[in-house]
Amino acid sequence: MDSDVIVVGAGLAGLTAAAELVRLGKTVTLLDQEGEQSLGGQAFWSFGGLFLVDSPEQRRMGVKDSHDLAWQDWLGTAGFDRPEDEWPRKWAEAYVDFASGEKRAWLHAMGVRFFPVVGWAERGGYTAEGHGNSVPRFHITWGTGPGVVEPFARRVRRAAEDGRLQLKFRHRVDGLTVTDGVVTGVSGTLLSPDESARGVSTNREALGEFSLGAEAVVVTSGGIGGNFDLVREAWPERLGKAPKRLISGVPAHVDGRMLGIAESAGASLINRDRMWHYTEGIENWDPIWPHHGIRILPGPSSLWLDATGKRLPAPLFPGFDTLGTLEHIMTTGHEYTWFVLTQKILEKEFALSGSEQNPDLTGKNVKLLLKRVLPGAPGPVEAFKKHGADFAVAATLPELVAKMNSITGENLLDFATVKTAVEARDAEMSNKFTKDLQVTALRGARNYRGDKLIRVATPHRLLDPKAGPLIGVRLNLLTRKTLGGLHTDLDGRVLRPDGEPLPGLFAAGEAAGFGGGGMHGYRSLEGTFLGGCLFSGRQAARGVAK
């Protein structure tokens, strides 16, 4: 044996598993096909949002939350309906226990801190038993994604210095070694060094081969979001025909290779048709990886139109139901939609997902952060408005629609249709009564102190010159997360198709559907991906130690 345990993948789940294994007295070999500059994987690029229940931050913002309410929301969102959902449901229940119990204290003891205003993601808009968060639960980490990664990366590096852990970068695993039905190691290709910046696609030049043995192998290699072929192959019929055009929310190395490799070794892969892709993607004007897209984290005020200018149906408002919106879009015959908004809405409601798009939060810069409450949009948002290929800006609605049509070159937007939608929405602003559910929702959102302070613009007419200029934003489909994955029990043991554990093999993070092969079911409540990596990585490590 080269070590007690081999961990494949140095993202957040892999770092968490490795750090916990070392704490439990195991020696570890941590492998990754990328270089050391990519330590932390996708989590580094994230906004750092974490799902917490009944936290001090919520209580200070006047939010009353509970374990029971969170579990009701989770079940209504997940929609578990398959026999193979037995373990995913158990994982979901354990995760909600974790999020409403020790999660915050565990992270706080490591030095993780949170932005005081709790965000309200995936608001749902259906019944109490349906999809969505009943209350704000999206806790932004002070330091965003890098702030979540740092304590675990620090522990891993310290273990490497102490000789309890080996870091092996540019090691691409091509196969699992199976001896008499037991996974006993890995084999693969040693890739040529590549000093490209984090996130940039690296070379796949082979220098040689390697083979390593261990008592157990933990797969934490992530999902398929960077591999459009696999995304389209797994695309479910319920979401319509697989899209021809996608942009990517993850680097190219998020390729899904290890899922197929594990399956070939005898592992069960379930719920591969469940996935989480965003509908509010914009092309990055300064890309790092191929097809690089950024997600707009929208407030609820923008008018959402399809490619022809028709308003999306209720309750498909910005920030309410990602997957429901995706399903509707794929019925329209077009793969993009539009936001129509004002500068006033842009300044208050547009946030961009990604650590690099939030230098104030990522850099823990209080002085820069305070500018968010001052007039004007954050610098990265204004940069997209100025340089982004998806943005149109105009003083009048006819001019705006003409510019929006010029972005696509398809001239699908009918001015009369857009004008009707805008004027009808504006007419609902003339008094405190309305039949427009989006207007009701944005007024209701301002009852929450956090939304009124920094997230939801004062309700106003889109055609109010004082709120201008008008802005149109083309929204593209953005790949992100795999919700299915390797089927695991609560100890992280990977199961075979017959439901029995495949000895020696464990999995965590996105490769395991964040736990069990899909603890989210069909939908996410948001803030649950990083948390799922943390929880499942720790669980798998403890399972190995057993």
Side-chain angles (χ1 to χ4, degrees), residues 392-409:
V393 183
T396 66
L397 192 59
E399 182 186 2
L400 182 72
V401 173
K403 287 187 174 182
M404 291 163 70
N405 274 324
S406 69
I407 289 175
T408 64

Side-chain angles (χ1 to χ4, degrees), residues 189-218:
T189 303
L190 182 63
L191 300 176
S192 174
D194 193 317
E195 301 301 321
S196 299
R198 180 190 288 270
V200 174
S201 297
T202 56
N203 74 69
R204 289 297 179 261
E205 179 184 346
L207 292 183
E209 298 178 346
F210 70 90
S211 179
L212 297 168
E215 290 181 348
V217 174
V218 184

Side-chain angles (χ1 to χ4, degrees), residues 343-397:
Q343 177 70 21
K344 187 175 181 179
I345 293 173
L346 180 90
E347 293 179 1
K348 191 82 173 235
E349 299 193 8
F350 265 37
L352 301 174
S353 182
S355 54
E356 81 284 12
Q357 300 298 330
N358 295 275
D360 49 357
L361 292 164
T362 302
K364 302 180 181 181
N365 188 323
V366 176
K367 185 176 181 180
L368 190 59
L369 179 67
L370 290 175
K371 291 185 178 181
R372 291 196 180 222
V373 299
L374 299 176
V381 173
E382 278 293 341
F384 266 90
K385 191 183 84 172
K386 180 178 180 181
H387 302 293
D390 297 305
F391 282 73
V393 183
T396 66
L397 192 59

Side-chain angles (χ1 to χ4, degrees), residues 15-37:
L15 290 175
T16 304
E20 183 70 1
L21 283 162
V22 169
R23 188 187 71 82
L24 294 171
K26 299 293 184 180
T27 58
V28 178
T29 300
L30 180 58
L31 308 177
D32 201 284
Q33 65 179 340
E34 296 304 300
E36 187 171 4
Q37 68 271 31

